[in-house]
Amino acid sequence: MKKIILIVLYLLFVITLSGCSAKVITFDYTDLQNIPEKTTMNFELPQPEHDYGTWTSNNPDVIEIVDNSQAVVHRQETDVEVTLRISVRFQLSTKKHYKYFKVTVLSIHAEPTVQEKLMGLDDFLADYLHLTGPVELPETFEGLNLSFEMSERTCHYGVIKQDGSKWLMPKIVNTRCIDKVGLVIYHEDKSVYAAYEILVNDYIFDVNNPMHNLDNLIVMNFFEGDSKDRVSKLFYLPQTLAEYEGSTIEWTSLNTSVIRISTDNLQANVWPSDTAVAVDLLAHITIDELPYDVIYTVTVKR
């Protein structure tokens, strides 16, 4: 009987040891992310997920370790390479393990790196996440070239190019879906640095909502013989919507090579040709202090 009890106790001991060893988590160097190879600014020093590491710098005059979590950069007249080391002690072990990172601190004359420039991109793109009207797309950000492309499933918006600029233009639909725009950032040599996918709009364009038919309320002052379907000479632009007291309209031409808006916002000057050209005019309408962007299209022909 005693022999059986001893065997049972031994098995329980072995199982307990096995359970303890299963809880020992080894250090994974992939936990250490975002250590830059080149830098012009301070950066954070990560810790392994399951272990504690101590950071040191072989040149604290250039990269100073603060609170074991911040690398404070002191730029010099020339580029300086600094070696950062993290020492990690495994759980349930007295042995230390080391990992080294070489970081080049760029001189005080150098521009920020591409990765550093991209840090502000999220805030920059925030203006394009919830659109209710046309918006001109930027071509550059911090000296980097931007390229926008729509996803295959386009519902509310389409990227078009007019007058040398790219615009996100609304399309009136009565179905709900979310557009996605792919954003690619590249250098002059066309090498891609980053690619993003941003949501453009999840707003329902309801064709029964009168606010989405404001273009029908715009009354243009064409000369005799002209209409929106064939404009051959200058015309005058309304400054308000008669149906909405106190409303205002600001006009922008999306093709200034054919139609240009006068500086006083009153007149559209036209350069017609023998070929018909459809030109979109952006009417920025304010009603009760709320903005509405509407496209009013005219066809210009001699």
Side-chain angles (χ1 to χ4, degrees):
M1 183 67 180
K2 289 183 179 180
K3 188 174 182 180
I4 295 175
I5 294 175
L6 289 174
I7 292 174
V8 171
L9 291 175
Y10 176 75
L11 291 175
L12 289 173
F13 177 72
V14 170
I15 293 173
T16 301
L17 286 180
S18 300
C20 291
S21 62
K23 294 180 181 179
V24 177
I25 303 175
T26 59
F27 173 55
D28 183 0
Y29 290 128
T30 60
D31 290 341
L32 303 179
Q33 301 293 332
N34 302 321
I35 302 297
E37 295 181 358
K38 297 180 180 179
T39 187
T40 65
M41 59 181 62
N42 303 341
F43 56 92
E44 293 185 2
L45 295 169
Q47 286 290 334
E49 183 177 353
H50 301 291
D51 300 278
Y52 180 79
T54 301
W55 286 95
T56 57
S57 168
N58 75 335
N59 192 342
D61 291 335
V62 179
I63 296 183
E64 177 186 2
I65 307 299
V66 176
D67 296 332
N68 198 45
S69 61
Q70 186 81 3
V72 178
V73 172
H74 305 283
R75 299 168 70 183
Q76 309 294 312
E77 283 290 334
T78 59
D79 297 352
V80 180
E81 184 181 84
V82 178
T83 300
L84 301 180
R85 186 191 75 173
I86 184 172
S87 61
V88 179
R89 178 177 296 171
F90 289 177
Q91 292 182 4
L92 304 180
S93 172
T94 59
K95 185 178 180 181
K96 290 185 177 181
H97 294 259
Y98 302 95
K99 179 69 174 179
Y100 297 87
F101 300 87
K102 293 186 180 297
V103 180
T104 299
V105 176
L106 301 181
S107 75
I108 58 176
H109 309 288
E111 291 187 358
T113 66
V114 172
Q115 288 72 21
E116 291 168 342
K117 290 180 178 180
L118 292 177
M119 289 181 179
L121 186 63
D122 289 342
D123 293 336
F124 179 76
L125 293 178
D127 294 335
Y128 302 93
L129 297 184
H130 301 287
L131 306 178
T132 58
V135 62
E136 184 174 1
L137 296 172
E139 296 182 358
T140 61
F141 172 76
E142 296 289 349
L144 302 173
N145 296 316
L146 305 181
S147 175
F148 292 84
E149 295 180 359
M150 292 298 297
S151 62
E152 293 183 1
R153 186 186 181 200
T154 301
C155 301
H156 300 137
Y157 279 79
V159 176
I160 67 170
K161 188 171 184 178
Q162 283 193 329
D163 195 24
S165 300
K166 283 189 175 182
W167 290 71
L168 279 174
M169 303 293 291
K171 299 193 302 183
I172 306 302
V173 298
N174 57 2
T175 59
R176 183 184 181 90
C177 59
I178 298 177
D179 282 341
K180 293 183 179 179
V181 173
L183 167 60
V184 177
I185 300 174
Y186 58 93
H187 194 262
E188 291 179 355
D189 62 3
K190 303 299 182 181
S191 58
V192 174
Y193 281 118
Y196 295 81
E197 188 172 63
I198 60 174
L199 297 180
V200 177
N201 195 20
D202 59 358
Y203 187 79
I204 299 179
F205 281 89
D206 185 358
V207 294
N208 297 316
N209 187 333
M211 288 303 179
H212 297 144
N213 291 279
L214 292 178
D215 56 323
N216 294 327
L217 302 180
I218 296 174
V219 179
M220 288 292 185
N221 298 309
F222 296 108
F223 278 94
E224 185 177 355
D226 279 4
S227 67
K228 67 177 299 185
D229 297 324
R230 182 163 182 170
V231 177
S232 61
K233 57 185 79 69
L234 68 85
F235 56 96
Y236 294 96
L237 302 166
Q239 306 298 294
T240 185
L241 293 177
E243 289 78 0
Y244 294 95
E245 184 178 354
S247 61
T248 61
I249 307 177
E250 295 182 6
W251 291 93
T252 301
S253 172
L254 302 187
N255 189 343
T256 56
S257 63
V258 179
I259 295 181
R260 293 183 187 175
I261 308 299
S262 61
T263 55
D264 57 9
N265 195 52
L266 295 174
Q267 180 175 302
N269 298 303
V270 179
W271 283 265
S273 63
D274 294 332
T275 303
V277 179
V279 178
D280 291 331
L281 302 180
L282 170 60
H284 183 73
I285 304 173
T286 302
I287 302 174
D288 295 331
E289 299 184 353
L290 295 176
Y292 300 90
D293 288 330
V294 174
I295 292 295
Y296 187 95
T297 303
V298 298
T299 300
V300 177
K301 186 176 181 181
R302 197 190 311 265

